[in-house]
């Protein structure tokens, strides 16, 4: 989790972030600690920053002897979202990651006529839940800070995100990454790469 703040007018807005959970492959101890933290922390918005679901069922990479079924992954994700909303009753924004995007890529590659008819916002009942969905690649701005799933995975991913996006929180790399720079006006901007909640496969 990440807790950031910004001050839009006369009050500070508190924002929590979680990304790269990879349901159903999350580290159960880390996930439970995150839920407890949500319960104990007053926040205005929770941003789920992508790769919250693994969507192994839609992967084109192969290598899994018995891949999960999409229905299994969706049922599991709905149960976890029920948990999240039990502990946090405020605003939730869900940023699509490259793993969530697997579903639309699989449909376009396999049965393109189904494109738009089957999607995660419907399967996860986002309208009913009041969750806002943002597509992969979007950057949402909260004050001077941006939030996005992220794109780059090299050693200097934070520097690259900072150069291309400005002050930003991102996931995707599964590692803590940070970078800072001072702009022409002397203001210091930062990029923060956040770690995964996925359990160690080893």
């Amino acid at each position: 989790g990440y807790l950031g703040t910004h001050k839009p007018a006369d009050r500070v807005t508190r924002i929590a972030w979680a990304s790269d959970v990879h349901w159903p492959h999350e580290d159960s101890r880390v996930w439970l600690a995150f839920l407890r933290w949500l319960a104990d922390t007053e926040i205005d918005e929770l941003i789920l920053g992508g790769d919250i679901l693994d969507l192994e069922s839609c992967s084109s990479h192969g290598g899994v002897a018995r891949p999960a079924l999409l229905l299994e992954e969706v049922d599991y994700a709905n149960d976890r979202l029920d948990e999240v909303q039990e502990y946090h009753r405020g605003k939730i924004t869900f940023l699509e990651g490259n793993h969530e995007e697997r579903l639309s890529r699989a449909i376009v590659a396999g049965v393109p006529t189904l494109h738009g008819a089957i999607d995660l916002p419907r399967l996860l009942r986002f309208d009913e839940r009041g969750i806002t969905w943002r597509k992969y690649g979007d950057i949402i701005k909260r004050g001077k800070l941006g939030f996005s799933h992220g794109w780059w995975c090299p050693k200097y991913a934070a520097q690259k995100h900072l150069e291309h996006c400005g002050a930003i929180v991102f996931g995707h790399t599964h590692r803590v990454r940070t970078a800072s720079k001072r702009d022409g006006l002397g203001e210091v901007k930062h990029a923060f790469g956040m770690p995964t909640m996925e359990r160690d496969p080893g």
Side-chain angles (χ1 to χ4, degrees):
Y2 167 87
L3 182 63
T5 62
H6 77 93
K7 192 172 181 180
D10 58 348
R11 66 179 297 273
V12 171
T13 301
R14 295 164 64 86
I15 299 168
W17 162 277
S19 69
D20 301 277
V21 185
H22 290 275
W23 292 331
H25 306 301
E26 75 276 8
D27 184 315
S28 59
R29 294 168 303 169
V30 175
W31 179 248
L32 181 58
F34 176 67
L35 291 176
R36 288 175 175 163
W37 179 84
L38 273 181
D40 293 339
T41 309
E42 290 186 16
I43 61 171
D44 296 289
E45 180 179 8
L46 169 61
I47 298 177
L48 297 173
D51 290 5
I52 304 301
L53 288 78
D54 190 73
L55 285 189
E56 174 185 289
S57 59
C58 302
S59 175
S60 60
H61 299 300
V64 178
R66 192 270 183 193
L69 298 174
L70 177 60
L71 184 59
E72 293 172 337
E73 292 188 292
V74 167
D75 285 347
Y76 189 89
N78 272 310
D79 287 345
R80 299 293 75 74
L81 284 172
D82 288 344
E83 287 180 342
V84 168
Q85 293 194 291
E86 179 182 344
Y87 291 100
H88 170 67
R89 301 191 182 278
K91 180 178 180 180
I92 299 176
T93 301
F94 194 117
L95 281 165
E96 182 182 36
N98 53 294
H99 276 252
E100 284 91 10
E101 196 185 39
R102 285 175 168 181
L103 176 58
S104 59
R105 290 199 308 262
I107 290 171
V108 168
V111 190
T113 54
L114 295 180
H115 183 59
I118 301 173
D119 60 26
L120 279 181
R122 285 191 182 93
L123 293 171
L124 301 179
R125 309 191 316 270
F126 280 1
D127 283 347
E128 175 189 328
R129 293 179 181 280
I131 294 176
T132 301
W133 168 261
R134 297 292 295 270
K135 292 292 290 177
Y136 182 44
D138 283 357
I139 299 175
I140 61 172
K141 297 289 284 187
R142 298 293 182 262
K144 296 180 180 181
L145 188 60
F147 296 84
S148 189
H149 177 65
W151 300 269
W152 300 285
C153 285
K155 180 178 179 182
Y156 300 106
Q159 187 65 40
K160 198 165 181 69
H161 279 87
L162 186 61
E163 289 170 3
H164 288 267
C165 309
I168 192 165
V169 174
F170 65 94
H172 191 58
T173 67
H174 289 200
R175 294 173 178 84
V176 175
R177 304 286 195 201
T178 61
S180 302
K181 72 174 181 180
R182 192 178 300 275
D183 66 17
L185 299 175
E187 183 177 354
V188 178
K189 295 185 177 180
H190 307 277
F192 304 95
M194 305 306 291
T196 183
M197 290 190 195
E198 186 177 15
R199 66 177 176 266
D200 186 344

